[in-house]
Amino acid sequence: MEKLFGVEMNVLAIWLSSLMLVIFLVSIFLASRNRILVKLALRNIPRRKAQTALIIVGLMLSTTIIMAALAIGDSINGGIRLGALYSLGGTDIRLSSSVSSRFGDNYLGDSVVDRVRSELDGDQRIDGIMPLVREQMPVVNEQSKKTLSSAVVVGPKLESIAGFDGLIGTEEEGRTKVDLAVMRDGETIINQPMADDLDLEIGDLLTLISPVGRSDHKVLDIVDAVGILGGTESTRASAMFPDESLQRLFGRDGYNMIEVSITGKEIVEFVTHDEKTSEDVTRKLKLAFVNSDASESLFENLKTPSIKDALEKKLVEQESAARGSDTDDPLSDLIKGLDQDSPSDEFKIAAMDGGTQATIFEVAEASGDADLTKSVFESLGALVEIKVDPIKNRSLQFAEMISSGIVVFFTIFGSFSIIVGLLLIFLVFVMLAASRTTEMGIARAIGTKRRHLVQMFTYEGLVYSLGASIVGTGLGILASMLLIQIMIRAFAESDDVTFFYSVTLRSIIVAFAAGFVLTALTVTISAYRVSKLNIVVAIRGLSEELVSDEVPSTLQRAKMVLKWIFGPFTFALDTWVMWRRGYGVALRVVTFFVLLLIVPWISILIIKVFKFFQPWLASGWPLLPVGLILAISGLDPEKGVENFAYDSAALLALGVTLSIVSTGLIVRRILAYRGFREEFQKRVSMSLIGLIMFVFYSLPFDALENLTGELNGGPEMFILSGVSLVAASVWVVMHNADVLVWIVNKIIGRWGSLRPVVKMAIAYPMSARLRTGLTLAMFSLVIFTMMIFAILINLGNVISDDPDKASGGFDIRGVIKPELPIDDPYAIIEQSGNDLSVSDFEVITSQARLRVEVRQAEADSSFKGARVRASDEDWLRKNQFEFTHWDPAYGQTFEEIWQSVANDPSLAVVSAGIIREEDGWGPPRGDNVFQITGIEPDKKGEISGVDITLRPPVGQATSDRLVTRKVVGVLDEFADYFENNQGSSNDIYMHYSVLEEISEKTIPFTDYKFRITDPSRADELTRLLETAFIDHGMTAKSTSESIEQEQAQTNAFNQLFQGFMGLGLLVGVAALGVIAFRAVVERRQSIGMMRAIGYRARMVQMQFLMESGVVAILGSLIGIGLGTLIAWNIFKNISQESAGVTFSIPILNVAAIVLVAVVFSLLNTMLPARQASGIKPSEALRYE
Amino acid sequence: MRSEPIIHAHEVVKTYRSRDVAVQALRDVSFAVQSGEMVAVMGPSGCGKTTLLNCLSGLDSIDSGDVSIAGRLLRTMSDDALSEYRAKSMGFVFQAYNLLPVLTVQENVELPLILAGNSQKNARDRATEKLNLVGLADRIDHLPAELSGGQQQRVAIARALANDPAIVWADEPTGNLDSTNAGEIMELLTRLNKEQEQTFVLVTHSDEVGGMADRIVRMSDGVIVDDGNGDMVESS
Ligand SMILES: Nc1ncnc2c1ncn2[C@@H]1O[C@H](COP(=O)(O)OP(=O)(O)OP(=O)(O)O)[C@@H](O)[C@H]1O
Ligand SMILES: [Mg+2]
């Protein structure tokens, strides 16, 4: 993995470890100045081993989660990368024809190969240029009768194989390179996956099915699936033949690919890579194969002032749409290039970009100049002579994108757990301090400075942090190993991707350093907070956990501000004065130099200014204007104040939060003024704050869109709103805890014997509200995240409930090789033997696919890409797809519409994607995608037909071969779901007569759909069909198979994720355990007392369990409630994008989560509870 | 002949072992208290008074010998039975008060009452009554840490008396009180002792307090040197 949240991992590693180093150095420096403090601070660590262990457990969990997330990312990255690298081998750049492969015009002749060679001649960076034939074809082992309907067959030019000869024997043979020069016609080398699939051994015959029929090839060798024989990422099985053999069998001249290998560093066995060089060579090749006449003519055309202006306007539009993202835009390169006298390299490169081409074309058409349009169209079509694809770079970038996406996803959800982990650290410190209050009070009484207390706590904390980051990192690695094991097992059967555990040193460093820095910071803040104790309160053991400082007078605060305006200089003056009085000032001298670094100076000044205003801020009202200003600044520019609208959901939320807090504080003021009791003031105002916050953060994400405009917000909003929501709820609960107590009392009070237990089980948590509130918040957060995820992975989809919606009522889908077309499927079935008979099938239909360019007649837009599905009449009449929009002139029912389309070849229907506007979700569609405007996706029902014009794609034929159709229906998004990239299709369905109208050459039917008489035999018939149609290379899949497959993969990912989230649960459970353990120590005497006045041992135990249990149950309730709420909001958001998701709460899963959480918390409390109940009263009472 | 003693100890030995050093806190102590008696235990600091109280009341285990209370041998009673007996029939005032810091004064006193199964209202009334007795009716909603040492001690006494227990064990119940207050408390205790026939075993350093008891038991170095009866000295 290279990047996390857009930051280079290297940079992250360097920054975090330097930060860690700074923390170390500073603390070592401070420690060396006051060794006695260090001694005092560290004495407890070895002495109280159990406590130390407990604290480390509490502190380590955040690190564990970070480490686990990173290691999972590494492993996934490693798996995908390795898959890509193996399938590419030596190939870094792949050159192919710019013409579509449909009719075999895509084969490149020797002249092209020679041109490539001469372009790269003498280039030291190149270590191989290999032309090859590469197709996917069916293969058979006639001995074993095993078949593969689609295997990769490659025919490299053997003399050119240097640089690509990463062919290696399989493990058993000792992994030697295999000699290729010996291969002759009628021979083949296959890879291990093919050998496994077909049961082939060296010496056996492999039968290849090609347009000329079956041909046998003797297996010379079996090698690993790497390099030339690496297959593709989805089809591993692969066989290699001499180039002439394949050219003859396929009836082609030349090669369909030329691959270039580049020198670089070996990253896995026999595979090298060098991203920068690849990029450079790609550029060189692109420029070499740009048609200079075409670029010249394009250049001249674009220089036309009106066109240039239009392009510039487009650029401005695009830039404002993509505000914030700093991708260098090829369009701007193109426009810059127009200022020169001749087409520059930058201009050419930019003009080759697909998006830019679409823009150019649109601008040309909009100009209304028919000649210019034609000329631009022609030069664009001729511009690229050979496509140059830096395929290795692209594949590795893809691996990177997927894995860092997964890590980001994990980290976002994990950040809840990390936050909980940090809260736990704070809590541990609060408790540690509480147990030492008296000690600290006495220390302060005899003259220890507060600064020293902070330092002592920090030193102690740093040692714990170090221990915790070490243990946490180790545990994180362990946890990720277990989780990846789940993945490995889930993907064991598919040979697409092989996952294996891998973790980079860099990730370990990042996790360790991040864990340490986060822990250390939390520790320092906690130490500072807990040292602020009031001496008297501490010694008398009053139960206030955090006592706030006295506020210095306005004058004093003003003085501080004044003093820090001159920062280092007043500081130097003070130091000088101190030195004169005979104080040691070495530390102050160092500080002075640190202050001169400006940043610390300014930050201290800011703190002082803040402190100056703090007392007024705390009173409430000044927060209101601050909050409102913030909120307004977060608005969308359309809704907010001009030049003061930053379009940020986070700013808005922050502003609103401040305003809410302020309102609450003002209410409190008013109540106080009216003379209400303090308790009442507090409860009303605090509950008010909590409740309004709750309402604000629980609103659906777009609820306020009318007011605020559509705001920018990323994952940080999800985290912010989740945490705020939980905090608000816990806040309300804690400020109304007595209501809860009353309820608990009412319920449990019925069992008389439990009353004394309940009494104590309530008294303790209620007397330490901060602690209880924090624990409750932690537990709620954990359950909250688990709940959201449980619901999200359970979002049912209509497809598994009603597969016909996606399959159109066909049970099996088969796709054949266009080179091996079928004449009469019924005849083939009839001849196939006794296993398969025509009577097994109710309907067999066929379709052809064809890329076209389409334009909507009345919208007078440019031609853009779409796919025609030319269907036979059976398909049109017998499919069961449903429409969301239809033209009532052609039928009242879905069936009638279909009949109309079957009867009248001038009609067509389109898939849902065609009327849907791109809305930023999902992968970007690109510019060259046909869309129909004027049909509202959300307003389902009747429409009137839309006229469209179709033509063959650029380069396939002349552009004047136009075909018109009327679109009379829009399919729902489930139609053909399995064949379309999950609904994002833009298909146009029509009668097959279109094929002859649009194309000079015959286009074969390749898609076959089968409806069978006995649906329970679907899987069996699927296999039989593949065998029967092997001579046509049919790959078939049943609907049920597709559904299962999709589910199996999501399940594997979900398991991995739930396991990961389980780590968060661990934090919650650990929190309750840590608290219970501390409680036993703290309450020894009280326990003794209780035993003395007659509490039974079991009652004491029960009290502890009850305390944890109440927090666990209450936390679960809050978590479940809020989780469902947010999951519902998310669901709403998702379902706007892709209909067909259904919401349901996975009762069993939720019950399991809660059960596990509560039971484990109780088990975890069991030990301390038993310890407590075993305390001997006489001992405990003596203990002081 | 007197009636059967309510507390009876026979050759009780208690040794504390900590870090290889064994401290013999009680050596062959035999001792009896009659029902309704008020006994004061006196002796120098560290002689074993607190230990004696703990062992006799069943809070602490003993190494050898026997203790019986109201005719039942402590070592035959289960921990639960002992707890229940303490809840119903014993009250304790400890040297360090040991109030529960998270409960208010009122709740501290209520706790044994609730434990003994009284209704909330009943417990409240009786707790208020006891707090009245010790003169703290105006402090019922405070937390222990908000009271002076002497006040805390008086709450502890109120708590010990809350259940009207048959036996009250008090370790220096007036140690932190001025003589006026101490006198008042002692008067209260003697009155209860007479009127309700409660048995009191109290440890004190004050001769004045000792003087108000029916008899004084003197201890020294883990041994009873004078049990105040004269006729039972031979057991030591
Ligand atoms: N848990 C213990 N471990 C070791 N020694 C103990 C323990 N408890 C008490 N002792 C020792 O037993 C002896 C008797 O202690 P005890 O508390 O009974 O004295 P005391 O008479 O109540 O004194 P004071 O009047 O000071 O309260 C002392 O020497 C004490 O050190
Ligand atoms: Mg004592």
Side-chain angles (χ1 to χ4, degrees):
Chain A
M1 239 182 29
E2 294 302 319
K3 278 188 176 174
L4 185 62
F5 290 115
V7 185
E8 294 269 346
M9 281 289 279
N10 281 333
V11 176
L12 215 59
I14 291 170
W15 268 100
L16 284 170
S17 33
S18 350
L19 211 59
M20 185 165 79
L21 207 69
V22 168
I23 295 177
F24 272 129
L25 289 180
V26 168
S27 41
I28 286 173
F29 173 74
L30 288 177
S32 68
R33 306 209 26 91
N34 207 339
R35 273 186 223 151
I36 182 78
L37 281 184
V38 182
K39 226 177 185 171
L40 281 174
L42 302 191
R43 89 209 124 123
N44 283 313
I45 296 174
R47 222 189 281 166
R48 298 237 176 125
K49 292 207 176 65
Q51 179 180 300
T52 305
L54 203 65
I55 291 176
I56 286 184
V57 168
L59 266 56
M60 77 185 184
L61 291 160
S62 295
T63 315
T64 306
I65 289 166
I66 299 174
M67 183 69 246
L70 289 178
I72 288 172
D74 278 345
S75 302
I76 289 177
N77 188 2
I80 302 178
R81 263 174 80 91
L82 207 68
L85 288 172
Y86 277 167
S87 75
L88 287 173
T91 306
D92 290 280
I93 299 172
R94 179 173 287 166
L95 286 78
S96 58
S97 163
S98 57
V99 181
S100 142
S101 69
R102 165 72 61 196
F103 305 108
D105 321 338
N106 58 326
Y107 272 64
L108 307 167
D110 283 336
S111 63
V112 178
V113 177
D114 290 342
R115 257 183 85 192
V116 175
R117 279 194 204 291
S118 71
E119 284 299 335
L120 296 177
D121 193 30
D123 194 328
Q124 292 302 311
R125 299 171 296 183
I126 311 298
D127 62 5
I129 299 167
M130 170 177 69
L132 75 161
V133 176
R134 188 189 182 95
E135 299 280 359
Q136 297 209 11
M137 282 289 145
V139 288
V140 182
N141 175 358
E142 292 190 330
Q143 217 82 52
S144 66
K145 294 279 171 247
K146 298 227 164 166
T147 60
L148 265 178
S149 50
S150 186
V152 178
V153 294
V154 282
K157 191 177 170 107
L158 290 180
E159 308 87 86
S160 311
I161 210 150
F164 297 86
D165 44 358
L167 279 192
I168 39 179
T170 49
E171 208 99 39
E172 302 95 75
E173 296 174 4
R175 303 183 79 83
T176 48
K177 286 203 182 184
V178 173
D179 185 15
L180 293 168
V182 298
M183 193 160 57
R184 272 184 295 266
D185 193 26
E187 291 176 341
T188 181
I189 295 177
I190 65 170
N191 68 2
Q192 190 67 53
M194 179 177 283
D196 293 343
D197 286 345
L198 294 183
D199 273 351
L200 282 172
E201 280 170 26
I202 295 178
D204 289 354
L205 285 182
L206 171 76
T207 306
L208 173 67
I209 296 169
S210 64
V212 297
R214 295 188 175 213
S215 57
D216 289 343
H217 305 262
K218 189 167 150 235
V219 176
L220 275 189
D221 211 336
I222 297 172
V223 298
D224 266 359
V226 185
I228 301 178
L229 281 175
T232 68
E233 275 153 66
S234 53
T235 312
R236 278 274 175 250
S238 175
M240 183 169 104
F241 306 85
D243 48 350
E244 287 103 3
S245 309
L246 291 186
Q247 285 165 344
R248 180 170 43 77
L249 291 172
F250 298 152
R252 305 276 197 241
D253 286 328
Y255 304 90
N256 62 346
M257 287 173 191
I258 301 171
E259 300 193 335
V260 176
S261 170
I262 284 169
T263 53
K265 131 169 147 281
E266 186 168 55
I267 40 180
V268 295
E269 228 175 353
F270 299 114
V271 182
T272 60
H273 181 228
D274 183 339
E275 183 164 10
K276 184 76 186 55
T277 312
S278 281
E279 225 168 75
D280 293 346
V281 175
T282 303
R283 190 183 151 87
K284 179 174 172 180
L285 284 170
K286 272 189 172 173
L287 288 172
F289 289 104
V290 65
N291 183 298
S292 53
D293 291 345
S295 73
E296 205 72 55
S297 130
L298 183 69
F299 183 72
E300 289 310 324
N301 279 327
L302 295 189
K303 259 181 150 356
T304 317
S306 65
I307 300 286
K308 201 178 162 211
D309 286 351
L311 283 174
E312 269 163 359
K313 231 178 248 150
K314 280 275 169 199
L315 179 65
V316 174
E317 266 170 45
Q318 276 178 22
E319 274 174 350
S320 76
R323 190 158 56 99
S325 65
D326 53 1
T327 47
D328 39 5
D329 190 350
L331 187 56
S332 92
D333 285 349
L334 184 89
I335 294 171
K336 264 183 234 146
L338 288 176
D339 293 335
Q340 269 140 2
D341 298 333
S342 63
S344 63
D345 288 354
E346 269 65 34
F347 174 85
K348 291 177 191 164
I349 295 276
M352 276 185 260
D353 176 76
T356 319
Q357 290 196 351
T359 314
I360 294 174
F361 203 73
E362 206 178 321
V363 167
E365 284 212 318
S367 74
D369 182 339
D371 289 342
L372 184 129
T373 312
K374 191 159 189 288
S375 162
V376 165
F377 179 74
E378 277 164 5
S379 45
L380 280 182
L383 191 65
V384 178
E385 292 177 340
I386 303 286
K387 265 200 301 202
V388 182
D389 180 13
I391 189 165
K392 196 178 280 170
N393 277 358
R394 212 162 41 80
S395 303
L396 295 187
Q397 279 158 7
F398 177 74
E400 169 68 21
M401 192 185 82
I402 298 284
S403 57
S404 69
I406 287 176
V407 175
V408 166
F409 184 71
F410 272 52
T411 332
I412 288 169
F413 272 88
S415 61
F416 283 103
S417 310
I418 295 171
I419 290 173
V420 173
L422 295 181
L423 283 180
L424 181 59
I425 297 174
F426 183 62
L427 190 66
V428 165
F429 261 74
V430 168
M431 287 194 300
L432 200 62
S435 71
R436 301 209 190 130
T437 341
T438 321
E439 191 186 322
M440 293 196 312
I442 292 166
R444 292 277 283 134
I446 59 173
T448 317
K449 288 183 184 138
R450 169 167 302 162
R451 176 153 56 79
H452 292 149
L453 283 185
V454 178
Q455 275 182 35
M456 269 166 63
F457 261 116
T458 311
Y459 294 148
E460 191 178 347
L462 285 179
V463 173
Y464 293 135
S465 308
L466 191 64
S469 345
I470 293 172
V471 180
T473 309
L475 226 69
I477 291 177
L478 207 74
S480 54
M481 273 178 175
L482 290 176
L483 291 172
I484 288 296
Q485 206 58 44
I486 300 178
M487 281 288 269
I488 292 174
R489 215 162 286 163
F491 280 83
E493 277 159 38
S494 87
D495 46 22
D496 306 356
V497 214
T498 350
F499 286 104
F500 56 94
Y501 187 77
S502 80
V503 59
T504 56
L505 182 64
R506 189 174 54 190
S507 294
I508 295 179
I509 292 174
V510 167
F512 177 78
F516 179 78
V517 169
L518 276 179
T519 313
L521 282 181
T522 317
V523 158
T524 314
I525 293 169
S526 321
Y528 177 72
R529 199 68 193 84
V530 295
S531 317
K532 285 190 153 204
L533 81 177
N534 177 307
I535 303 175
V536 179
V537 170
I539 294 180
R540 293 198 70 152
L542 284 174
S543 60
E544 285 157 62
E545 288 192 298
L546 291 178
V547 189
S548 42
D549 261 341
E550 275 173 32
V551 181
S553 72
T554 315
L555 191 66
Q556 270 174 309
R557 298 199 314 269
K559 268 189 191 162
M560 286 313 264
V561 172
L562 272 180
K563 193 167 160 182
W564 279 100
I565 287 178
F566 303 104
F569 308 103
T570 36
F571 190 83
L573 195 71
D574 276 0
T575 310
W576 184 71
V577 171
M578 284 176 77
W579 178 69
R580 286 294 300 269
R581 290 191 189 149
Y583 291 99
V585 292
L587 185 59
R588 290 185 66 102
V589 172
V590 174
T591 317
F592 171 75
F593 287 109
V594 173
L595 285 174
L596 283 181
L597 293 176
I598 307 292
V599 175
W601 171 16
I602 300 292
S603 25
I604 294 180
L605 183 63
I606 290 173
I607 293 173
K608 295 296 172 189
V609 171
F610 175 73
K611 287 245 156 137
F612 181 76
F613 289 107
Q614 195 184 22
W616 293 304
L617 286 181
S619 75
W621 67 264
L623 283 180
L624 195 58
V626 173
L628 288 177
I629 290 172
L630 271 182
I632 288 171
S633 74
L635 292 179
D636 188 79
E638 277 176 29
K639 302 281 179 177
V641 184
E642 213 169 325
N643 293 328
F644 190 64
Y646 295 96
D647 187 13
S648 152
L651 267 182
L652 178 86
L654 202 70
V656 172
T657 306
L658 279 183
S659 313
I660 295 172
V661 171
S662 162
T663 314
L665 293 175
I666 292 172
V667 167
R668 184 171 180 179
R669 280 273 156 134
I670 295 172
L671 291 177
Y673 186 71
R674 288 289 178 85
F676 283 99
R677 275 181 307 120
E678 197 185 329
E679 206 180 309
F680 179 77
Q681 294 165 24
K682 206 168 166 183
R683 173 182 305 189
V684 170
S685 56
M686 296 299 134
S687 306
L688 195 70
I689 292 178
L691 286 174
I692 304 180
M693 292 257 267
F694 177 85
V695 172
F696 174 68
Y697 281 106
S698 63
L699 289 175
F701 304 132
D702 50 4
L704 300 177
E705 222 156 71
N706 285 336
L707 271 161
T708 62
E710 221 171 297
L711 295 185
N712 260 330
E716 83 279 358
M717 269 319 285
F718 177 53
I719 299 169
L720 182 71
S721 59
V723 172
S724 308
L725 203 55
V726 171
S729 310
V730 172
W731 187 258
V732 174
V733 168
M734 288 314 290
H735 278 99
N736 294 280
D738 30 356
V739 178
L740 215 74
V741 167
W742 184 80
I743 295 171
V744 173
N745 263 329
K746 272 278 168 246
I747 297 171
I748 306 189
R750 289 167 207 272
W751 295 286
S753 59
L754 274 178
R755 267 170 55 220
V757 180
V758 175
K759 173 122 201 147
M760 296 312 296
I762 287 170
Y764 275 103
M766 291 292 288
S767 77
R769 289 193 190 207
L770 175 75
R771 197 186 286 194
T772 314
L774 273 179
T775 326
L776 188 59
M778 285 160 60
F779 211 85
S780 310
L781 255 182
V782 169
I783 300 287
F784 169 76
T785 22
M786 299 220 43
M787 184 71 194
I788 292 182
F789 191 68
I791 294 183
L792 288 188
I793 62 178
N794 189 54
L795 285 182
N797 67 49
V798 175
I799 291 168
S800 43
D801 298 344
D802 185 4
D804 282 353
K805 269 177 156 331
S807 68
F810 298 108
D811 305 287
I812 301 169
R813 291 170 285 118
V815 180
I816 60 161
K817 300 272 171 278
E819 295 86 349
L820 307 170
I822 298 176
D823 279 341
D824 179 4
Y826 291 97
I828 294 174
I829 291 175
E830 210 63 80
Q831 289 154 19
S832 71
N834 40 14
D835 285 339
L836 208 56
S837 98
V838 173
S839 65
D840 290 331
F841 301 93
E842 238 170 60
V843 193
I844 301 176
T845 72
S846 54
Q847 289 170 296
R849 319 168 176 214
L850 174 67
R851 285 248 135 248
V852 291
E853 296 193 333
V854 192
R855 173 166 75 169
Q856 184 174 355
E858 63 260 39
D860 121 274
S861 54
S862 60
F863 278 96
K864 292 193 170 174
R867 184 168 65 174
V868 161
R869 300 202 142 208
S871 312
D872 67 6
E873 287 188 15
D874 269 348
W875 191 89
L876 291 173
R877 289 186 200 284
K878 294 187 174 151
N879 80 72
Q880 294 165 6
F881 289 125
E882 296 176 4
F883 296 98
T884 52
H885 302 75
W886 62 92
D887 185 341
Y890 298 89
Q892 295 306 316
T893 64
F894 299 151
E895 223 188 307
E896 281 173 26
I897 302 270
W898 279 122
Q899 299 310 323
S900 304
V901 177
N903 294 332
D904 181 353
S906 75
L907 301 182
V909 299
V910 296
S911 63
I914 283 192
I915 59 162
R916 212 157 248 292
E917 301 229 338
E918 195 166 17
D919 57 3
W921 287 77
R925 262 189 209 141
D927 298 313
N928 190 29
V929 173
F930 173 64
Q931 301 270 282
I932 287 180
T933 53
I935 299 179
E936 288 270 339
D938 298 331
K939 272 200 211 115
K940 300 186 175 167
E942 303 187 347
I943 52 166
S944 58
V946 177
D947 291 317
I948 54 172
T949 311
L950 297 83
R951 71 172 184 211
V954 182
Q956 298 273 313
T958 43
S959 62
D960 46 18
R961 205 173 173 120
L962 297 177
V963 174
T964 54
R965 287 289 183 271
K966 187 188 255 323
V967 174
V968 297
V970 180
L971 292 167
D972 66 21
E973 37 256 278
F974 316 115
D976 269 346
Y977 172 87
F978 299 119
E979 284 164 53
N980 300 326
N981 224 334
Q982 297 176 359
S984 66
S985 64
N986 64 339
D987 284 351
I988 307 173
Y989 297 81
M990 61 188 76
H991 193 273
Y992 67 89
S993 60
V994 69
L995 296 175
E996 282 172 9
E997 282 181 63
I998 211 166
S999 166
E1000 291 152 353
K1001 298 177 185 166
T1002 349
I1003 297 169
F1005 287 91
T1006 49
D1007 292 31
Y1008 285 81
K1009 305 281 156 74
F1010 304 85
R1011 186 174 302 154
I1012 56 181
T1013 35
D1014 179 4
S1016 67
R1017 291 180 63 205
D1019 288 351
E1020 181 202 341
L1021 289 176
T1022 306
R1023 298 288 80 83
L1024 289 174
L1025 280 174
E1026 281 195 345
T1027 322
F1029 286 92
I1030 186 67
D1031 286 325
H1032 306 275
M1034 178 181 285
T1035 46
K1037 220 168 210 176
S1038 70
T1039 306
S1040 54
E1041 237 178 334
S1042 303
I1043 293 174
E1044 270 164 35
Q1045 205 172 34
E1046 199 164 88
Q1047 270 168 356
Q1049 283 182 4
T1050 22
N1051 280 352
F1053 181 73
N1054 289 345
Q1055 273 179 7
L1056 176 71
F1057 194 70
Q1058 275 201 318
F1060 177 73
M1061 293 311 292
L1063 289 178
L1065 196 57
L1066 204 69
V1067 188
V1069 171
L1072 287 177
V1074 168
I1075 288 173
F1077 265 108
R1078 287 298 314 165
V1080 176
V1081 179
E1082 278 174 28
R1083 297 192 209 156
R1084 259 185 86 84
Q1085 265 196 314
S1086 299
I1087 294 168
M1089 182 63 226
M1090 284 164 60
R1091 297 277 285 128
I1093 65 172
Y1095 274 84
R1096 296 179 187 193
R1098 186 108 33 79
M1099 294 165 92
V1100 173
Q1101 190 175 335
M1102 200 133 68
Q1103 179 206 329
F1104 271 80
L1105 291 180
M1106 215 179 266
E1107 284 178 32
S1108 295
V1110 166
V1111 172
I1113 290 171
L1114 199 58
S1116 300
L1117 289 179
I1118 295 179
I1120 290 176
L1122 300 183
T1124 313
L1125 195 78
I1126 290 294
W1128 173 257
N1129 284 348
I1130 295 177
F1131 158 73
K1132 276 290 186 198
N1133 216 321
I1134 293 178
S1135 62
Q1136 277 173 9
E1137 168 61 16
S1138 51
V1141 252
T1142 50
F1143 187 86
S1144 69
I1145 296 174
I1147 308 280
L1148 266 179
N1149 199 345
V1150 173
I1153 292 171
V1154 172
L1155 207 70
V1156 167
V1158 174
V1159 167
F1160 272 93
S1161 308
L1162 290 185
L1163 281 181
N1164 212 354
T1165 323
M1166 205 63 172
L1167 198 67
R1170 288 181 75 109
Q1171 226 178 16
S1173 68
I1175 288 173
K1176 261 171 78 182
S1178 59
E1179 292 281 314
L1181 288 164
R1182 194 174 269 286
Y1183 187 96
E1184 182 74 348
Chain B
M1 273 299 283
R2 296 189 195 174
S3 59
E4 187 64 11
I6 186 164
I7 305 164
H8 189 270
H10 180 66
E11 296 180 353
V12 173
V13 176
K14 175 75 190 175
T15 313
Y16 289 112
R17 273 176 203 72
S18 53
R19 278 180 245 108
D20 304 334
V21 204
V23 180
Q24 274 227 327
L26 297 177
R27 321 173 183 211
D28 277 344
V29 171
S30 296
F31 177 57
V33 179
Q34 303 299 323
S35 179
E37 210 180 358
M38 180 181 262
V39 178
V41 181
M42 298 185 72
S45 174
C47 69
K49 306 181 295 290
T50 301
T51 309
L52 180 70
L53 238 58
N54 284 346
C55 288
L56 294 189
S57 61
L59 287 182
D60 209 345
S61 58
I62 55 178
D63 296 323
S64 72
D66 273 323
V67 178
S68 57
I69 287 186
R72 297 170 72 184
L73 264 179
L74 289 191
R75 71 177 147 79
T76 64
M77 291 171 77
S78 71
D79 186 71
D80 281 355
L82 267 174
S83 299
E84 191 163 336
Y85 189 76
R86 284 200 296 269
K88 296 238 160 74
S89 314
M90 287 190 193
F92 288 89
V93 182
F94 295 103
Q95 216 168 346
Y97 329 134
N98 295 95
L99 298 175
L100 297 176
V102 292
L103 299 184
T104 61
V105 164
Q106 166 97 31
E107 287 171 326
N108 260 292
V109 181
E110 274 172 21
L111 201 59
L113 291 162
I114 293 176
L115 198 58
N118 287 284
S119 73
Q120 183 63 45
K121 187 177 170 335
N122 207 345
R124 176 136 301 186
D125 292 346
R126 286 178 64 182
T128 318
E129 178 194 324
K130 298 298 180 211
L131 282 165
N132 265 327
L133 279 181
V134 297
L136 277 177
D138 54 336
R139 289 300 174 101
I140 52 174
D141 283 330
H142 285 242
L143 287 175
E146 296 163 348
L147 299 182
S148 76
Q151 286 167 331
Q152 289 185 37
Q153 194 155 31
R154 282 186 276 157
V155 178
I157 292 168
R159 180 178 62 187
L161 299 176
N163 262 338
D164 297 323
I167 309 167
V168 177
W169 309 90
D171 202 344
E172 304 235 28
T174 57
N176 266 353
L177 301 183
D178 58 283
S179 57
T180 329
N181 260 311
E184 274 172 23
I185 290 289
M186 278 313 292
E187 244 161 58
L188 168 71
L189 296 188
T190 39
R191 199 177 72 230
L192 290 171
N193 171 247
K194 293 285 153 327
E195 286 173 5
Q196 308 200 4
E197 303 210 322
Q198 282 169 300
T199 307
F200 281 81
V201 180
L202 31 102
V203 169
T204 183
H205 284 121
S206 147
D207 290 329
E208 223 170 302
V209 171
M212 295 174 79
D214 294 338
R215 81 185 147 108
I216 297 177
V217 175
R218 291 192 187 278
M219 284 189 75
S220 168
D221 212 3
V223 178
I224 295 184
V225 289
D226 174 8
D227 77 349
N229 281 337
D231 51 281
M232 284 174 77
V233 178
E234 90 284 352
S235 67
S236 63

